[in-house]
Amino acid sequence: MTCWYEGPLAAFDTETTGVDVENDRIVSAAIVVQDTPGGRARATRWLVDPGVPIPEEASDIHGLTEDHLHRYGRWPAPVMEEIGRELSDLTAAGRPLVVMNAPFDLTLLDRELRRHRASSLPHYLGSRPLCVLDPRVLDKHLDRYRKGRRTLTDLCALYEVELADAHDAAADALAALEVTRAVGRRFAARLERLSAAELHALQAVWHAAQAHGLQAWFTRNGTPETVDPAWPLRPELPAAA
């Protein structure tokens, strides 16, 4: 039987106006599909004019300026519809979805669907939830005592994956997919007997433990920051009274 890391995978990534999943917006997104390791990757890309100002610090990261998005971006509503349907189709086909730091990208997409489609990501997925593989969670659990950061750039360097155009959504998605395959191979003795669905369930537990550990570290150091243990999608915040 083919191990999940040697089989068909897809990957999803976004570039955004910032890091607040409740209020920031998607400015570009990509879904990359690859049937076999080393096989041709097929990418679907979206460029979005979010209808809000683009902070200079965000443009400095991904290179997408407000003027460029006004000229070439599409209105958010149809884009979010297309992304939601594409992810639904991948889920129906049983294809695992790689998402680096999944609670960020998937939660932001969910909020955009609520904002522009009066819907949600779970609504689009229906009765078959996503089967997510998050290389950040996997690497942090399987090599937990390694020092250093675990950004996509760091993981690409560690696992010898090329990242030719960092902070381009399609390039980042493909790199995350390749890193995930590399993690599977490096830790095959611990992963090869697990299905992608079993690994999805385990990652939810692993991420929660990682979040609690980080929260404890923040508390010890007097850092007023809250770490959400939910994975791969954060629950919707309750409406203000």
Side-chain angles (χ1 to χ4, degrees), residues 13 22 49 58 65 67 123 130 133 149 167 169 179 188 194 222 230 235:
D13 188 74
E22 301 299 336
D49 180 359
T65 65
D67 179 67
H123 175 80
L130 287 170
L133 300 169
R149 302 190 310 162
H167 300 296
V179 165
L194 294 170

Side-chain angles (χ1 to χ4, degrees), residues 157-176:
L158 177 68
Y159 290 97
E160 300 180 344
V161 169
E162 181 181 1
L163 179 54
D165 191 10
H167 300 296
D168 170 83
D172 285 358
L174 179 58

Side-chain angles (χ1 to χ4, degrees), residues 54-75:
I54 311 300
E56 185 176 345
E57 54 269 28
S59 294
D60 289 343
I61 292 172
H62 49 58
L64 298 171
T65 65
E66 197 166 325
D67 179 67
H68 182 82
L69 293 170
H70 283 335
R71 288 173 180 267
Y72 303 108
R74 297 169 58 201
W75 192 243

Side-chain angles (χ1 to χ4, degrees), residues 62-211:
H62 49 58
L64 298 171
T65 65
E66 197 166 325
D67 179 67
H68 182 82
L69 293 170
H70 283 335
R71 288 173 180 267
Y72 303 108
R74 297 169 58 201
W75 192 243
V79 171
M80 302 312 150
E81 170 77 11
E82 290 170 14
I83 295 173
R85 289 188 179 278
E86 183 70 17
L87 292 181
S88 176
D89 290 345
L90 290 169
T91 298
R95 188 175 295 245
L97 183 72
V98 172
V99 189
M100 174 75 182
N101 192 17
F104 177 79
D105 290 85
L106 295 182
T107 302
L108 190 56
L109 173 62
D110 176 77
R111 301 323 189 240
E112 288 279 55
L113 288 168
R114 294 174 188 273
R115 184 177 294 121
H116 296 291
R117 304 302 307 180
S119 187
S120 67
L121 182 56
H123 175 80
Y124 274 82
L125 300 177
S127 61
R128 296 194 62 179
L130 287 170
C131 178
V132 176
L133 300 169
D134 187 334
R136 186 172 183 271
V137 174
L138 292 171
D139 174 75
K140 194 170 184 178
H141 177 79
L142 296 164
D143 197 0
R144 68 181 68 184
Y145 300 113
R146 189 180 79 249
K147 301 294 184 182
R149 302 190 310 162
R150 298 176 193 256
T151 67
L152 180 59
T153 300
D154 297 317
L155 295 184
C156 285
L158 177 68
Y159 290 97
E160 300 180 344
V161 169
E162 181 181 1
L163 179 54
D165 191 10
H167 300 296
D168 170 83
D172 285 358
L174 179 58
L177 187 152
E178 296 290 3
V179 165
T180 300
R181 291 197 190 278
V183 170
R185 296 187 193 103
R186 180 170 296 189
F187 298 98
R190 300 165 65 181
L191 297 176
E192 63 184 356
R193 295 184 182 179
L194 294 170
S195 69
E198 290 170 329
L199 194 53
H200 175 101
L202 286 170
Q203 286 171 102
V205 177
W206 297 344
H207 178 270
Q210 293 163 9

